Amino acid sequence: VVSTQSTGAATGINSLMGDCYPNGDAFSALLNSEACSALFYQGTCYGLKTAAKYADVDVVSYDMLRRGVSDVRSLGHTMCGSVEACYNEVFDAVSDCAADQDYLQGVLDRAVDMYKARAQSDIAEFGASNDNTIMGRLINLAMRRFTDLDSVRAFAMENLDDGMIADAKAGYEDFKVAAADFCDSGCVDRSAKFFKMLFARMHGRGCTDASEFCGACENNARRFFMARSMLHTIPCCLQDVIEQALDGAAYFRDAYSAEMEDAESYLREAFADQPALIAQAEAAAAAAREQIECVS
């Protein structure tokens, strides 16, 4: 199955990238490098295995999550060893091809053509048949707003400024440093060991659904952390990642509160004829906030 997925990916990539031949070979040959091949096969294998594992599961328990930690650890090791190398190989290849000013425009044009040929009609049909659902309405809004490449460019020019681009670049650089520290400190194994123990202690005593933390699951977690043992302490390397993520989320919330309010106003107006969907979205947001407060 993974081999079939690889063949399909290679065909799509070569069609998209057009006349770009890194090292004199098809662009998809980059997938066969040691780093990119490891990422693709491990990622695809994990995805297929996880999809099969949870296909018929209605409620995911913490015990199920505990049994899946080893798979996540294997994926983490592969990512730590391969993501940067694979990214650099692909980035260098694209940069060389992009020296031709017409090349990127050609990629964008081919991407639009591929979307129209392979997905547009199916997505439009789904949206039309499900306009009374949140997903269906969002799809219809997007398809009306983005009718061609020029409309996407206009939206970007209207909503993106130099400050946003600078924030995105700074965030990416911070992420690279944090990821390198996480990997280099051996945090994959330490985090996996920690989560296995935490999930084992959280399962049971009324905690049966991992999507709901408040209540029984929260009480089990508190008992775990109250135990006087270094094994029940979040690894420092993982704590650093969590704190950085929280800081980033707080910065985004503060820096872009006006844009978020504008987006909410736009969506409320777009859903004005579907008050039940607005109520559904508000209830989901309130439930998410409740769970986050319990975790914090």
Side-chain angles (χ1 to χ4, degrees):
V1 175
V2 175
S3 177
T4 302
Q5 299 252 349
S6 178
T7 301
T11 301
I13 289 173
N14 290 335
S15 298
L16 179 65
M17 302 309 290
D19 296 329
C20 183
Y21 301 100
N23 305 315
D25 204 345
F27 196 92
S28 63
L30 291 173
L31 293 177
N32 296 325
S33 69
E34 182 178 355
C36 293
S37 179
L39 272 180
F40 181 83
Y41 281 97
Q42 182 74 5
T44 303
C45 181
Y46 175 79
L48 293 173
K49 184 176 180 180
T50 302
K53 178 179 179 180
Y54 293 105
D56 299 320
V57 175
D58 294 325
V59 178
V60 177
S61 68
Y62 277 102
D63 186 58
M64 293 183 68
L65 295 181
R66 177 190 63 79
R67 287 182 273 128
V69 168
S70 295
D71 292 335
V72 177
R73 179 180 59 192
S74 297
L75 180 61
H77 279 302
T78 301
M79 294 180 68
C80 280
S82 303
V83 165
E84 185 176 9
C86 180
Y87 170 82
N88 289 336
E89 292 169 2
V90 174
F91 180 83
D92 290 344
V94 172
S95 297
D96 289 342
C97 294
D100 178 356
Q101 294 183 355
D102 295 330
Y103 175 72
L104 290 180
Q105 182 60 48
V107 172
L108 292 174
D109 290 340
R110 286 188 291 275
V112 171
D113 290 341
M114 292 172 67
Y115 161 72
K116 289 181 177 179
R118 303 181 184 184
Q120 186 178 34
S121 61
D122 290 339
I123 294 175
E125 181 180 351
F126 177 87
S129 302
N130 295 275
D131 192 54
N132 61 340
T133 67
I134 293 177
M135 179 60 69
R137 177 60 62 93
L138 290 175
I139 288 173
N140 291 331
L141 288 173
M143 294 194 75
R144 286 196 295 268
R145 181 72 180 266
F146 305 116
T147 56
D148 53 27
L149 196 55
D150 288 337
S151 63
V152 176
R153 287 198 187 96
F155 177 84
M157 293 293 292
E158 179 183 347
N159 292 278
L160 296 179
D161 56 33
D162 292 341
M164 292 181 181
I165 295 173
D167 281 345
K169 289 181 178 179
Y172 172 68
E173 292 300 324
D174 290 344
F175 170 78
K176 284 202 305 183
V177 172
D181 290 344
F182 183 87
C183 293
D184 294 344
S185 65
C187 207
V188 172
D189 287 333
R190 291 156 66 186
S191 297
K193 182 177 181 180
F194 167 77
F195 279 116
K196 264 193 171 182
M197 292 178 17
L198 173 62
F199 292 161
R201 289 289 297 271
M202 288 183 67
H203 182 70
R205 294 186 179 184
C207 177
T208 58
D209 186 349
S211 69
E212 297 179 2
F213 183 78
C214 299
C217 299
E218 180 185 6
N219 293 335
N220 289 350
R222 291 187 184 281
R223 278 191 287 267
F224 172 83
F225 285 112
M226 288 175 64
R228 295 187 177 183
S229 170
M230 288 297 294
L231 295 177
H232 290 204
T233 302
I234 298 177
C236 292
C237 54
L238 178 60
Q239 183 69 38
D240 290 342
V241 173
I242 295 172
E243 290 178 357
Q244 182 168 340
L246 292 175
D247 289 343
Y251 174 80
F252 179 85
R253 183 180 62 248
D254 294 339
Y256 297 103
S257 59
E259 288 81 0
M260 293 168 64
E261 289 176 1
D262 289 343
E264 181 179 349
S265 297
Y266 171 77
L267 290 174
R268 283 187 177 277
E269 182 178 349
F271 280 78
D273 64 327
Q274 295 281 357
L277 294 184
I278 294 178
Q280 180 183 338
E282 290 176 339
R289 287 194 296 269
E290 180 185 7
Q291 297 298 322
I292 292 172
E293 289 174 3
C294 291
V295 172
S296 59

